[in-house]
Amino acid sequence: MSMINYAAREINCKIVYYGPGLGGKTTNLEHIYGKVKPDTRGKLISLATETERTLFFDFLPVDLGTIRGFNTRFHLYTVPGQVYYNASRKLILKNVDGIVFVADSQVERMEANLESMQNLYDNMAEYGYDLTRMPFVVQYNKRDLPNAAPTEELQAALNPGWEPAEPAKARVTPDPYHAGQNLVDQHSSGVWIERVPYFEAVAVGGDGVFDTLKAVSKLVLKALA
Amino acid sequence: MTNPGAANWSFDEEDLNALTRTVSRFLSETGAHSALIADRSGQLVATIGRPLSFDPMVFATLTAADFSANDQLARLIGETDFTTLFHQGEKESMYVADVARRLILVTLFDNHTPIGLVRLKMKPVVEELTVHLDRAYIRARESGSTQPNILAGAGEEIDELFNW
């Protein structure tokens, strides 16, 4: 739920990084924290266990600039990825404006990715949110590992697309982030399919982290415009 | 395009002044030194009273999380929610109250302020804040929106913002 504070001239939006355990959600936030200027971000708060697994959430507020005299402040949250923390995960999704799904590219983690994606759909649906109509991007992390699955396989499994919600969107729309690919395309059967933007990343080194953040933040602001 | 998942909302100067006035009076009546208003998703709305020595944004987020976690605990024991929470420290304590399930009012006080007084005065303050909020909502509904959409047609500006 974005909140516009006219008195303070601020637009506040909430972005949640979702995905399976040990997939790199916290690493994304740590990289952002380390790279943005200290005067444009707050503290990185981690509610973690003693072994540094996220227990409740990580939180990082960042200012991404000014539009029409209003400061745009993004509140970045991660959820605990471990399966048994679902009650916490669901709480964090409340009033979310945009979602980043951080998938673990390793072949062995495919099932965990699918389970987490299903869990995301289910939790969103319980709040009455329609994930397919929200600002949503997918990040394939750990692309540097030798056992990383090809992006085509990950796309087919995690971002297979759905029928565009509005008939007006049923036209070929190029993917601005991948030349030669389309976000909205027509299958040979005649059915139109819409996918969400995806990014390849190596979050420990920072590759793809800001591309992902920029894309989801832009979608959130465009949803308000 | 609007986000179908969440209702957006906004505060104008008048709303904020009304909330601040009510809470300032409550602080002077109880002797509590500071208060903070956050919305239920953890976004900071205002701080009132003595300047805070910590990051209020982080405080707002953790308070909302605290409140949400306690809501779930309430449900497990058969309650719909807990409308107030009290955290007592050796010198500093905090009293947290729900306002119309939209906002959270956090009152910070030291051991010179009796908790009973905070609790006693809190109820009418929450009622008054609810009246302010309802008024803002009614105005928003009647005018169709609280404010003109400041981002309407700002597509290019948004593109430029991310040109880094």
Side-chain angles (χ1 to χ4, degrees), chain A residues 155-221:
Chain A
Q155 279 281 86
L158 298 167
N159 190 14
W162 52 82
E163 236 178 292
E166 298 149 35
K169 288 178 96 179
R171 58 188 164 83
V172 175
T173 312
D175 180 345
Y177 307 103
H178 299 93
Q181 297 182 29
N182 294 321
L183 285 180
V184 182
D185 211 345
Q186 194 172 24
H187 267 203
S188 49
S189 61
V191 178
W192 285 92
I193 294 291
E194 179 181 6
R195 291 191 177 87
V196 296
Y198 75 90
F199 297 90
E200 296 185 64
V202 182
V204 280
D207 296 353
V209 169
F210 278 99
D211 291 338
T212 309
L213 174 64
K214 274 158 74 168
V216 73
S217 311
K218 198 164 158 180
L219 286 174
V220 166
L221 288 179

Side-chain angles (χ1 to χ4, degrees), chain A residues 73-205:
Chain A
R73 178 168 293 154
F74 288 84
H75 293 211
L76 311 182
Y77 287 78
T78 66
V79 296
Q82 288 162 286
V83 175
Y84 48 84
Y85 286 137
N86 194 45
S88 308
R89 250 191 318 273
K90 205 176 139 193
L91 282 179
I92 293 153
L93 284 177
K94 202 170 180 187
N95 297 323
V96 64
D97 294 302
I99 305 259
V100 175
F101 185 89
V102 181
D104 188 329
S105 292
Q106 298 178 89
V107 174
E108 304 77 25
R109 298 296 287 160
M110 190 62 102
E111 203 169 316
N113 289 327
L114 284 166
E115 195 181 338
S116 180
M117 184 66 92
Q118 184 61 50
N119 176 255
L120 170 61
Y121 273 91
D122 293 345
N123 280 336
M124 294 292 276
E126 280 191 46
Y127 280 125
Y129 302 160
D130 183 353
L131 188 60
T132 65
R133 302 187 69 173
M134 287 191 68
F136 179 33
V137 304
V138 177
Q139 182 190 79
Y140 300 122
N141 191 24
K142 309 192 189 181
R143 296 306 300 158
D144 59 328
L145 296 186
N147 53 345
T151 47
E152 297 75 28
E153 267 177 39
L154 290 160
Q155 279 281 86
L158 298 167
N159 190 14
W162 52 82
E163 236 178 292
E166 298 149 35
K169 288 178 96 179
R171 58 188 164 83
V172 175
T173 312
D175 180 345
Y177 307 103
H178 299 93
Q181 297 182 29
N182 294 321
L183 285 180
V184 182
D185 211 345
Q186 194 172 24
H187 267 203
S188 49
S189 61
V191 178
W192 285 92
I193 294 291
E194 179 181 6
R195 291 191 177 87
V196 296
Y198 75 90
F199 297 90
E200 296 185 64
V202 182
V204 280

Side-chain angles (χ1 to χ4, degrees), chain B residues 65-125:
Chain B
D66 184 21
F67 224 96
S68 294
N70 274 286
D71 256 3
Q72 297 301 313
L73 291 175
R75 279 175 209 170
L76 291 178
I77 63 161
E79 290 290 325
T80 50
D81 54 17
F82 295 133
T83 53
T84 57
L85 303 174
F86 174 48
H87 298 306
Q88 185 168 25
E90 202 178 314
K91 291 178 187 153
E92 289 285 323
S93 299
M94 56 189 266
Y95 197 85
V96 189
D98 169 77
V99 182
R101 298 199 61 78
R102 292 180 196 136
L103 296 181
I104 299 168
L105 171 64
V106 187
T107 310
L108 298 161
F109 53 98
D110 58 25
N111 45 20
H112 297 296
T113 298
I115 170 67
L117 185 62
V118 173
R119 192 173 278 154
L120 182 74
K121 298 276 183 188
M122 183 66 88
K123 199 167 174 254
V125 166

Side-chain angles (χ1 to χ4, degrees), chain B:
Chain B
M1 183 175 93
T2 55
N3 174 354
N8 297 325
W9 74 319
S10 58
F11 284 100
D12 66 14
E13 200 95 36
E14 195 189 322
D15 300 327
L16 207 59
N17 286 342
L19 296 173
T20 306
R21 269 196 307 273
T22 299
V23 177
S24 298
R25 201 187 61 237
F26 165 67
L27 291 183
S28 61
E29 282 173 1
T30 56
H33 58 76
S34 315
L36 180 147
I37 301 174
D39 83 348
R40 289 294 293 244
S41 68
Q43 306 199 24
L44 179 68
V45 174
T47 57
I48 303 121
R50 198 165 81 196
L52 302 170
S53 57
F54 49 80
D55 182 347
M57 206 191 312
V58 166
F59 200 84
T61 303
L62 292 174
T63 305
D66 184 21
F67 224 96
S68 294
N70 274 286
D71 256 3
Q72 297 301 313
L73 291 175
R75 279 175 209 170
L76 291 178
I77 63 161
E79 290 290 325
T80 50
D81 54 17
F82 295 133
T83 53
T84 57
L85 303 174
F86 174 48
H87 298 306
Q88 185 168 25
E90 202 178 314
K91 291 178 187 153
E92 289 285 323
S93 299
M94 56 189 266
Y95 197 85
V96 189
D98 169 77
V99 182
R101 298 199 61 78
R102 292 180 196 136
L103 296 181
I104 299 168
L105 171 64
V106 187
T107 310
L108 298 161
F109 53 98
D110 58 25
N111 45 20
H112 297 296
T113 298
I115 170 67
L117 185 62
V118 173
R119 192 173 278 154
L120 182 74
K121 298 276 183 188
M122 183 66 88
K123 199 167 174 254
V125 166
V126 167
E127 285 169 1
E128 203 174 312
L129 293 175
T130 305
V131 171
H132 295 323
L133 279 184
D134 286 347
R135 202 175 45 229
Y137 268 77
I138 290 166
R139 195 185 58 220
R141 214 173 38 234
E142 283 173 354
S143 65
S145 146
T146 44
Q147 298 275 347
N149 182 355
I150 53 148
L151 291 182
E156 276 182 26
E157 257 187 84
I158 294 170
D159 288 334
E160 269 174 39
L161 184 69
F162 293 99
N163 201 10
W164 40 274

